[in-house]
Amino acid sequence: MKGFNSAALVRLSGLICVLSVCSDVSVAKEASPAASVRYDELSRAFELKAKDVSYVFGINERGDLQALHWGGRFADNDALPIAKAARDHSSFEPSASITPQEYPGWGSTYYGEPSLKVSFPDGNRDLVLHYVSHHIDGTRLLVQLKDISRDVRVELRYEIDAETGILGRSARVENRTGKVLTVQQAAAASWSLPAADDYRLYSLSGRWADEWNLDERRLAPGTTVLESRRGSTGHQNNPWFAVARDASNEESGPVWFGALAWSGSWRISVEQDPTHRLRITGGYNPFDFAYRLASGGILETPMFYGGYTKSGLGEASRLMHRFQLAHILPHAPKPRLRPVLYNSWEATEFKVDEAGQTKLAEMAARIGVERFVMDDGWFGARNNDKAGLGDWTVNPNKFPNGLKPLVDKVKSLGMDFGLWVEPEMVNPDSDLYRKHPDWVLNFPGRPRTEARNQLVLNLARTDVRDHVFRVLDELLTQNDIAFLKWDYNRNWSEPGWSEQLPEDQQKVYVAYVKNLYWILQRVRERHPNVEIESCSGGGGRVDLGILRFTEEVWPSDNTDPYDRLSIQDGFTYAYAPAVMMAWVTDSPNWLNQRGTSLEYRFLSSMQGSLGIGANLTHWTEPDFELASRLIGEYKKIRGAVQQGNLYRLVSPRQGSPHSVTESVSADGAQAVLFAFLHSSSMGSNYPRVQLLGLDAEARYRMRAIAGKAQSDTPDEASGAYWMSRGINLDLRGDFQAAAVVFDRIGARK
Ligand code: DGJ
């Protein structure tokens, strides 16, 4: 699936040119028994099919590409439906507007959300896209569209994943008119669903330290807009959606879901038209967007991935997780397990130095930490957030002998070394800014608004891009660094790019992000063993675009273990637990002043990729003992937790004092249950927990690694028993937690 963004695409595009007359060559071709793409001459329709999904669209009598079906899988011998444009409902609801088009241009009588809107130098802004040709290559389909009179070409790209049925879609717009044109709006894809009155939209919203709220709303005619206008993904909305029906729930019922792979300004509009059909359009945010294409110029959109399941929101998440592990993350299809890391931020903030970090490293090694990460404060004049960003040289007062003594120490303790960077930003109080004040996003003569005392370097500039790459390359070449925590602590303001002609400045929205990806990719190529975490003041830059280059993300600066339960719950609707970093920090927590036990904090964090962010110099001997034991246990279960199948058995969102997750390893040999209690009341027992996803006939040995089961619980029973009767946990009091492991006895039958 990554192929559309890589060299394979170039190869494929080449093929298309050679085979531009290939519309009649489109023979159904099985790429693998599990996934196929076919074109049916009789009905003039295409079907992409994999897992339990068929995605079908056709060419109607006008030449529009018309959506026909996205849902359950057709039989192999089913004829494909024939695309027929909808009849005008009235002059106000004309056919062009109510026919579900695959990729509508803005023109004629189309009043819905367009996928593409352009303006020509002669003032014409009418664009009507019709089918020209197509090409099928295994599980990939390319369809060429062209405007009815002007040579504006759009290549729609489709690919279906055999294992999950998730489709990847994108578009490539090419100007062959011989004159300049301006793209005012370009979507990666538009997804259509038939008319219904019981669609519910799920989306993820938030703000700093309060990310990943799962919102649910009943759709009605009109448009719901999810977006970022900020230059980056944003905490406020995440580029993910799910649409369900009234009858759908966590483990059953139809769900359509999707995510945009873009880390810049984006928009997903969910529009229910007057006939109650649904159209979900996503791509570059058209707000303040203008992309001039010279003759021969090309604009490629990001990928928009979409999937379907009949088995509820839980299965939608599991499909997304599996897809990310198999196709998106670095080293896919076998992403590396996340090591247990220590991060210095909450312990020392900017007060890092060789002696203090060495002490923390020694303590971290004692409890089984595998990676020691030094956070902000190690460089330039960085004693607080007012100065130093941009000056990526080691602070000589804090590290008189450079980083080497600390790195060597960390390595001698059996850990690898990670470092915090924020390469896209600059404090005005820095040598870099004093030397290159023109390097930041700005409109000349206008204020340069600071946030956290910093400005955004204009990565769209080639000189800035090359500088940032050089700095990182040197840092990684000169120091034995295994990991970068890549931070990004503000959104854009005054996004001018004054080296460009005024009419080309808005290209910054695309060029910046493409150059960011370019840097990430080159850093990874030059330093293939370095891993990267994407952080943006917590969860402000989490999306499938950045995840192609980063092994993990920091979901939130909120490290309160109770708040984290709902943050993590929301996060997993869209993203895999493997990428979800979760630190055990100090109590009371700095944000809420809530006090919780060390065990509770551990269990909350052990549901994701475990990290420690506490000030270990304050720990007691029993704290070290408990931490060593739980980190040891975590190493035995992290395969299941990070890369297994997640079941959100009881969601903390539902206002319940209880929450429970279960992770089943990919091979089915282990299940891990985490249960949390906010507070007991009325002497009630913890509700019995029934597991999911076990092999009913296999036997599983139960072992509590924290908390305990009630005495009526057997040590060993069948999968059927654990899934039907379940387990009674002995949880009472405030902020209590338990973790139970179920290991299958013997191999799968
Ligand atoms: C924001 C991040 O989210 C924190 O974890 C920490 O790295 C600070 N930045 C450092 O300035």
Side-chain angles (χ1 to χ4, degrees):
M1 281 303 246
K2 268 186 173 174
F4 275 165
N5 288 323
S6 66
L9 176 62
V10 178
R11 187 177 52 77
L12 261 180
S13 317
L15 241 180
I16 281 298
C17 299
V18 180
L19 301 175
S20 54
V21 285
C22 67
S23 57
D24 50 349
V25 187
S26 36
V27 190
K29 184 172 157 193
E30 289 283 324
S32 79
S36 63
V37 180
R38 67 170 159 148
Y39 175 66
D40 179 12
E41 288 283 357
L42 225 56
S43 51
R44 302 189 78 205
F46 302 91
E47 182 189 35
L48 294 102
K49 182 157 63 178
K51 181 106 173 127
D52 304 324
V53 179
S54 279
Y55 185 89
V56 184
F57 59 95
I59 306 156
N60 70 19
E61 67 277 24
R62 272 202 298 262
D64 306 329
L65 274 195
Q66 183 174 333
L68 293 168
H69 172 79
W70 181 25
R73 185 184 173 113
F74 293 171
D76 288 346
N77 55 1
D78 279 334
L80 295 181
I82 295 173
K84 256 178 91 32
R87 265 183 296 130
D88 290 347
H89 178 76
S90 73
S91 62
F92 300 101
E93 293 88 20
S95 170
S97 264
I98 58 177
T99 299
Q101 294 185 53
E102 275 291 289
Y103 197 84
W106 186 75
S108 178
T109 49
Y110 181 74
Y111 302 119
E113 181 69 28
S115 291
L116 186 64
K117 183 175 185 313
V118 301
S119 69
F120 297 95
D122 61 357
N124 172 41
R125 302 187 308 284
D126 184 56
L127 184 78
V128 178
L129 296 170
H130 278 173
Y131 168 85
V132 178
S133 64
H134 70 268
H135 174 69
I136 294 172
D137 178 20
T139 52
R140 291 179 182 162
L141 166 65
L142 304 178
V143 184
Q144 294 276 347
L145 307 177
K146 184 185 155 302
D147 176 60
I148 49 175
S149 72
R150 299 193 173 194
D151 207 352
V152 178
R153 302 274 170 141
V154 179
E155 183 175 275
L156 299 185
R157 299 159 171 196
Y158 297 82
E159 182 167 14
I160 191 156
D161 173 43
E163 208 203 332
T164 58
I166 289 179
L167 285 131
R169 291 183 57 186
S170 67
R172 177 180 185 269
V173 181
E174 186 178 353
N175 175 13
R176 294 201 202 163
T177 61
K179 296 200 177 103
V180 164
L181 65 77
T182 301
V183 177
Q184 297 175 316
Q185 183 163 346
S190 175
W191 310 90
S192 296
L193 293 176
D197 291 325
D198 66 342
Y199 284 126
R200 282 184 284 131
L201 172 68
Y202 293 84
S203 56
L204 291 162
S205 70
R207 55 183 176 152
W208 175 79
D210 178 21
E211 301 91 334
W212 310 108
N213 295 287
L214 185 76
D215 302 310
E216 177 183 349
R217 70 196 101 191
R218 184 83 185 248
L219 291 172
T223 304
T224 307
V225 173
L226 310 171
E227 66 172 348
S228 162
R229 299 177 172 193
R230 297 159 178 266
S232 65
T233 322
H235 300 70
Q236 292 70 21
N237 286 142
N238 190 267
W240 169 89
F241 74 89
V243 168
R245 308 289 294 268
D246 270 355
S248 311
N249 57 36
E250 181 69 13
E251 294 299 338
S252 72
V255 178
W256 297 263
F257 54 94
L260 198 59
W262 186 242
S263 313
S265 290
W266 59 273
R267 190 170 85 173
I268 296 176
S269 67
V270 182
E271 179 188 16
Q272 191 160 35
D273 80 3
T275 67
H276 295 203
R277 286 182 205 280
L278 220 57
R279 162 183 301 288
I280 301 153
T281 306
Y284 296 125
N285 195 327
F287 177 82
D288 196 36
F289 189 87
Y291 200 98
R292 279 200 336 146
L293 284 183
S295 180
I298 286 166
L299 174 63
E300 301 212 14
T301 73
M303 300 289 289
F304 197 177
Y305 297 99
Y308 165 79
T309 174
K310 60 177 181 336
S311 305
L313 287 153
E315 181 64 8
S317 305
R318 289 187 287 277
L319 291 170
M320 277 295 263
H321 300 170
R322 223 172 295 150
F323 181 74
Q324 288 157 23
L325 295 170
H327 297 287
I328 300 287
L329 296 176
H331 306 291
K334 288 200 184 313
R336 300 173 181 159
L337 285 174
R338 302 294 73 231
V340 177
L341 66 71
Y342 179 82
N343 179 290
S344 66
W345 175 245
E346 289 199 20
T348 52
E349 295 201 340
F350 299 98
K351 290 188 252 19
V352 295
D353 60 24
E354 193 181 312
Q357 295 298 301
T358 302
K359 196 164 172 201
L360 286 171
E362 283 166 348
M363 293 174 154
R366 255 186 81 188
I367 53 174
V369 164
E370 297 160 309
R371 170 169 293 165
F372 182 84
V373 184
M374 178 161 66
D375 210 282
D376 202 348
W378 58 269
F379 53 92
R382 187 75 169 167
N383 298 315
N384 50 46
D385 62 14
K386 293 190 172 51
L389 270 185
D391 300 339
W392 300 105
T393 47
V394 181
N395 182 306
N397 300 323
K398 299 177 181 181
F399 298 92
N401 302 307
L403 293 180
K404 191 166 185 323
L406 176 62
V407 177
D408 287 351
K409 179 73 188 174
V410 165
K411 297 209 75 179
S412 75
L413 291 165
M415 301 180 290
D416 65 27
F417 182 77
L419 195 62
W420 180 95
V421 288
E422 191 174 3
E424 299 154 79
M425 298 285 171
V426 66
N427 284 123
D429 186 0
S430 67
D431 292 342
L432 183 71
Y433 188 73
R434 282 184 279 274
K435 195 164 167 204
H436 295 291
D438 51 326
W439 275 11
V440 297
L441 291 173
N442 76 95
F443 293 122
R446 302 286 302 170
R448 299 174 175 200
T449 309
E450 294 172 24
R452 208 193 191 208
N453 312 301
Q454 62 196 56
L455 297 168
V456 184
L457 289 172
N458 184 359
L459 239 54
R461 290 175 58 133
T462 314
D463 51 358
V464 176
R465 178 198 75 178
D466 292 346
H467 168 80
V468 169
F469 170 70
R470 217 172 19 249
V471 164
L472 292 167
D473 187 36
E474 274 173 26
L475 196 61
L476 295 170
T477 305
Q478 289 164 8
N479 301 285
D480 193 354
I481 294 172
F483 171 82
L484 290 177
K485 174 174 169 183
W486 186 304
D487 211 340
Y488 183 85
N489 279 302
R490 61 160 297 178
N491 296 128
W492 293 8
S493 58
E494 300 103 13
W497 181 5
S498 44
E499 296 67 50
Q500 294 287 323
L501 294 170
E503 55 272 36
D504 280 328
Q505 289 201 19
Q506 284 149 292
K507 283 187 172 176
V508 70
Y509 289 104
V510 177
Y512 182 110
V513 182
K514 290 205 166 159
N515 281 351
L516 168 66
Y517 292 159
W518 182 92
I519 296 168
L520 284 161
Q521 182 161 351
R522 283 204 70 197
V523 164
R524 296 200 68 103
E525 280 163 9
R526 289 260 305 147
H527 306 278
N529 289 324
V530 172
E531 299 188 344
I532 305 177
E533 174 178 303
S534 171
C535 172
S536 173
R541 192 155 64 187
V542 182
D543 57 76
L544 295 187
I546 204 90
L547 278 169
R548 287 180 293 139
F549 308 102
T550 57
E551 277 79 1
E552 58 190 58
V553 299
W554 182 228
S556 180
D557 277 349
N558 184 343
T559 51
D560 177 296
Y562 175 70
D563 283 2
R564 271 283 175 145
L565 297 180
S566 47
I567 286 174
Q568 294 174 176
D569 178 80
F571 183 95
T572 62
Y573 278 85
Y575 302 105
V579 306
M580 183 175 78
M581 292 311 297
W583 301 345
V584 175
T585 58
D586 290 324
S587 173
N589 182 265
W590 67 275
L591 185 64
N592 295 329
Q593 293 304 311
R594 195 194 321 271
T596 51
S597 71
L598 186 58
E599 184 174 272
Y600 183 91
R601 282 175 271 151
F602 257 99
L603 266 49
S604 171
S605 297
M606 283 164 71
Q607 293 173 102
S609 284
L610 178 64
I612 314 297
N615 190 342
L616 301 178
T617 61
H618 297 163
W619 277 18
T620 61
E621 207 42 46
D623 290 340
F624 282 105
E625 278 163 25
L626 178 64
S628 305
R629 186 176 76 73
L630 290 176
I631 289 175
E633 291 288 2
Y634 180 75
K635 289 176 184 170
K636 294 184 210 149
I637 58 170
R638 69 175 145 191
V641 170
Q642 295 180 12
Q643 301 192 356
N645 286 311
L646 175 71
Y647 296 89
R648 292 177 293 254
L649 297 184
V650 182
S651 167
R653 258 183 326 113
Q654 291 152 0
S656 139
H658 317 114
S659 70
V660 186
T661 64
E662 179 199 349
S663 304
V664 182
S665 63
D667 65 2
Q670 187 181 64
V672 187
L673 196 76
F674 290 98
F676 299 86
L677 170 65
H678 178 272
S679 55
S680 306
S681 54
M682 313 293 177
S684 305
N685 285 330
Y686 201 82
R688 190 183 297 166
V689 178
Q690 279 106 13
L691 279 75
L692 289 173
L694 301 183
D695 176 352
E697 283 166 25
R699 295 196 71 76
Y700 294 83
R701 187 166 296 127
M702 188 277 300
R703 188 171 67 86
I705 57 177
K708 58 181 195 310
Q710 294 206 1
S711 53
D712 65 347
T713 307
D715 292 340
E716 184 193 312
S718 67
Y721 180 96
W722 297 123
M723 291 193 289
S724 50
R725 181 164 196 275
I727 176 169
N728 281 324
L729 292 165
D730 192 3
L731 281 178
R732 259 170 292 192
D734 292 343
F735 300 110
Q736 298 296 311
V740 183
V741 181
F742 297 82
D743 285 310
R744 192 178 60 205
I745 303 167
R748 196 197 292 265
K749 292 202 182 100

